[in-house]
Amino acid sequence: DTAVSQTPKYLVTQMGNDKSIKCEQNLGHDTMYWYKQDSKKFLKIMFSYNNKELIINETVPNRFSPKSPDKAHLNLHINSLELGDSAVYFCASSFLSSGTVVEQYFGPGTRLTVT
Amino acid sequence: AQSVTQLDSHVSVSEGTPVLLRCNYSSSYSPSLFWYVQHPNKGLQLLLKYTSAATLVKGINGFEAEFKKSETSFHLTKPSAHMSDAAEYFCVVSGRTGRRALTFGSGTRLQVQP
C-alpha cells in the first residue's frame, strides 16, 4: 500500500550511459514532481506534471526528459550521464487545487551514482 | 519570488531538552509553509503544515511550529527531544496555485545526545 514508489532505489552506472527512474503514486493525485537532492542535502525542483501536462520545467540540462504516460506515473529519463548527475532523485505527488494548502508526498528516493 | 532561510545548519541537544529549529521565509504573497523531516537514507516525511487557520501548528511526534507574520518566521519546536528525532529538517514554502513547486531551505541537522 505504498503511496509514492520509485524504482530503482539505487542506480550505479558509468558516464555516458542512458538510464531511467520510474515513479508511481496510488494517492489519486493529479500532479507529480521530480526533485534533485545534491550531496549537501539541498533539494531543488526539476519538473512537474499535472494530468500528463508539463507545468514546471526548471533549468536542467536537456539530457533530462520526464515522461508521464498517465497521471499516476512520472518517469525520468537521463541521457549521456555525467559525474555531476550523481544525486538522490525524489519523486513527489499532490493535488493542484486552488485555495487550499496541499502538501506533497514524497517517494523514498533513488540514489544515482555515476562513475 | 519566494525563499526560505534556515538559520542553523546544525543543532545539537541533549535527550529530554527542548528543540528549536529556526526558519525565516520571504514571499510576495501569503505563504504556504511546511516542515519536512528526512531520517538518514530515508525519504521526506511531512511533519506539519501552516494552513492560515491557526498560527500555532501541531504536527506529528510532538513537534509544533508558530507562524509569525511580523517576523516572517516559522520556527519548529519540541518540548523534549528524543533520540529518534535525530534527522535532517527542512523548512519549505510552497508556490502559488498552478505552480506548486516547493522551495526548500538548506536544512538543519538535528543531533540528539544521550
Side-chain angles (χ1 to χ4, degrees):
Chain A
D1 59 347
T2 304
V4 182
S5 59
Q6 295 178 228
T7 53
K9 189 171 174 64
Y10 299 96
L11 184 54
V12 181
T13 187
Q14 292 184 325
M15 285 174 51
N17 285 347
D18 302 339
K19 291 293 178 184
S20 292
I21 306 172
K22 295 185 177 181
C23 179
E24 177 181 2
Q25 55 94 4
N26 62 5
L27 297 167
H29 290 157
D30 57 9
T31 306
M32 296 183 73
Y33 312 79
W34 277 111
Y35 290 85
K36 179 180 180 180
Q37 185 175 43
D38 63 22
S39 59
K40 295 183 178 180
K41 300 284 189 181
F42 184 67
L43 277 139
K44 189 173 181 185
I45 182 72
M46 299 175 69
F47 302 102
S48 177
Y49 271 75
N50 172 250
N51 284 325
K52 302 196 297 177
E53 181 180 347
L54 184 66
I55 58 170
I56 297 174
N57 186 3
E58 292 296 304
T59 307
V60 299
N62 58 15
R63 299 181 294 102
F64 290 78
S65 54
K67 286 185 172 55
S68 182
D70 55 62
K71 70 175 187 177
H73 296 83
L74 180 61
N75 304 324
L76 184 65
H77 188 76
I78 316 170
N79 290 327
S80 304
L81 278 155
E82 300 178 357
L83 292 176
D85 298 332
S86 296
V88 181
Y89 293 84
F90 286 99
C91 177
S93 71
S94 75
F95 291 111
L96 194 80
S97 55
S98 62
T100 59
V101 176
V102 289
E103 62 267 31
Q104 294 181 15
Y105 292 84
F106 283 80
T110 296
R111 183 176 295 276
L112 172 64
T113 303
V114 182
T115 61
Chain B
Q2 58 196 30
S3 65
V4 173
T5 302
Q6 292 185 242
L7 299 167
D8 306 293
S9 60
H10 182 253
V11 170
S12 182
V13 301
S14 298
E15 191 174 20
T17 64
V19 175
L20 170 64
L21 305 183
R22 299 182 295 165
C23 171
N24 286 106
Y25 69 90
S26 173
S27 178
S28 54
Y29 46 86
S30 183
S32 298
L33 293 161
F34 308 85
W35 276 96
Y36 280 83
V37 60
Q38 184 179 25
H39 287 93
N41 299 313
K42 299 288 186 183
L44 292 144
Q45 181 183 20
L46 179 69
L47 271 181
L48 49 80
K49 63 180 179 182
Y50 168 65
T51 64
S52 78
T55 56
L56 185 62
V57 181
K58 293 189 184 300
I60 61 172
N61 300 334
F63 284 94
E64 59 184 38
E66 186 171 8
F67 174 73
K68 292 187 177 180
K69 186 175 180 179
S70 60
E71 299 176 9
T72 61
S73 68
F74 191 56
H75 300 335
L76 182 70
T77 60
K78 183 173 181 178
S80 177
H82 192 273
M83 295 296 290
S84 61
D85 294 330
E88 191 88 22
Y89 291 80
F90 294 95
C91 183
V92 181
V93 61
S94 174
R96 306 190 73 171
T97 304
R99 185 180 170 85
R100 289 285 189 188
L102 301 180
T103 298
F104 282 77
S106 54
T108 298
R109 178 174 295 276
L110 176 64
Q111 188 176 15
V112 182
Q113 307 282 4

